[in-house]
Amino acid sequence: METSEILKKVRKIEIKTRGLSSNIFAGQYHSAFKGRGMAFSEVREYQYGDDVRDIDWNVTARFHKPYVKVFEEERELTVMLMIDVSGSLDFGTQHQFKKELVTEIAATLAFSAIQNNDKIGVIFFSDKIEKYIPPKKGRKHILYIIREMLDFHPDSRKTDVKMALEFLTGVMKRRCTAFLLSDFYTRNDFQQALTICNRKHDVVAIQVYDQRAKTLPDVGLMKVVDAETGHEMFIDTSSKKLRRAHTQYWMNRQRNLNEVFNKSNVDNVSIATNEDFVKVLLQLFQMRG
């Protein structure tokens, strides 16, 4: 992509998403994520009603009675955007590519974060860490992030969500709010990695998908290509059996995915490429607020 073309796109995304984050998300974002960044301050004796997860086991063992950690709310958060840049995101039949939807959602979250004076960083991942941008504040930093999102060319086309979560757990020493943006077509089971990561950080999963992943149209013979492996094949979409099997596969996949999020205690939303992502994000913020 030409530099001038990228800058034009960056400007367009900035105008759209900054407007959204100041008019619609003002207050909503803050109330949804405030108090998630907590700094350890002191310990005190356990009192009835305290969260057992806050027990400091070292101090408890030393004094032979339970002590809990006391936390203070940090005024600013660190927000990490974990962005899937694998081949399957280069797909869209309805309104836009999944990749474009991810960029708009990520930019909106980024502008919401800087209005709250939060730091923001990015992890671009495929089946490896493609790029890590450490968290910083400011509009200039956000425009750099958006430019990278628009013109990023990954080395690999495959996906490994587990590896990306393990990287976040290792690289971020202090608690952060992490938005995991992906279509979740991943090679490995990532439930354990997600559970561990969500204990240390506050992880929110945002699934993007295209309507065609859910239902196939009856258009006769259709050539399909696996964007991550390059495997090509023809399918006969006039077959009711095939269309039914396709929808069933999607429903099973979604059920499994939701189970992973529920077991890991991770808030999550699914957004289609032909859907208004603003409405879905607002619902997410209100659910958490």
Side-chain angles (χ1 to χ4, degrees), residues 14-78:
E14 183 189 9
I15 291 164
K16 180 178 178 180
T17 57
R18 195 164 61 168
L20 288 174
S21 53
S22 46
N23 301 333
I24 302 173
F25 296 142
Q28 292 282 0
Y29 164 88
H30 182 65
S31 60
F33 298 99
K34 71 176 189 302
R36 307 286 169 170
M38 305 294 273
F40 170 62
S41 133
E42 57 182 282
V43 294
R44 62 161 169 77
E45 271 193 57
Y46 178 85
Q47 292 164 6
Y48 179 74
D50 283 339
D51 192 332
V52 292
R53 289 175 298 186
D54 293 337
I55 290 175
D56 186 318
W57 294 106
N58 292 332
V59 178
T60 297
R62 200 158 54 226
F63 292 104
H64 306 295
K65 56 182 166 183
Y67 275 79
V68 290
K69 293 176 183 174
V70 179
F71 295 90
E72 279 175 0
E73 185 179 324
E74 289 180 326
R75 274 181 294 283
E76 61 186 45
L77 298 172
T78 296

Side-chain angles (χ1 to χ4, degrees), residues 88-126:
S88 61
L89 273 286
D90 288 327
F91 179 76
T93 60
Q94 300 288 306
H95 173 58
Q96 57 184 354
F97 285 146
K98 287 187 274 186
K99 184 182 174 181
E100 292 166 344
L101 177 61
V102 164
T103 302
E104 286 199 1
I105 294 168
T108 304
L109 292 169
F111 279 114
S112 300
I114 59 161
Q115 285 187 343
N116 209 40
N117 202 30
D118 296 338
K119 287 180 186 168
I120 188 139
V122 181
I123 295 166
F124 290 114
F125 71 92
S126 53

Side-chain angles (χ1 to χ4, degrees), residues 163-177:
M163 173 275 320
L165 288 162
E166 286 168 351
F167 178 80
L168 179 78
T169 303
V171 81
M172 296 299 292
K173 299 300 171 214
R174 294 178 71 178
R175 187 171 174 82
C176 73
T177 295

Side-chain angles (χ1 to χ4, degrees), residues 269-287:
V269 288
S270 290
I271 307 175
T273 51
N274 61 338
E275 204 175 352
D276 177 8
F277 74 86
V278 175
K279 218 163 73 178
V280 184
L281 281 189
L282 269 176
Q283 284 166 356
L284 169 71
F285 290 180
Q286 282 158 358
M287 179 177 85

Side-chain angles (χ1 to χ4, degrees), residues 4-15:
S4 59
E5 201 186 321
I6 291 169
L7 293 175
K8 223 180 282 175
K9 279 197 157 187
V10 168
R11 186 84 190 109
K12 203 172 153 190
I13 283 181
E14 183 189 9
I15 291 164

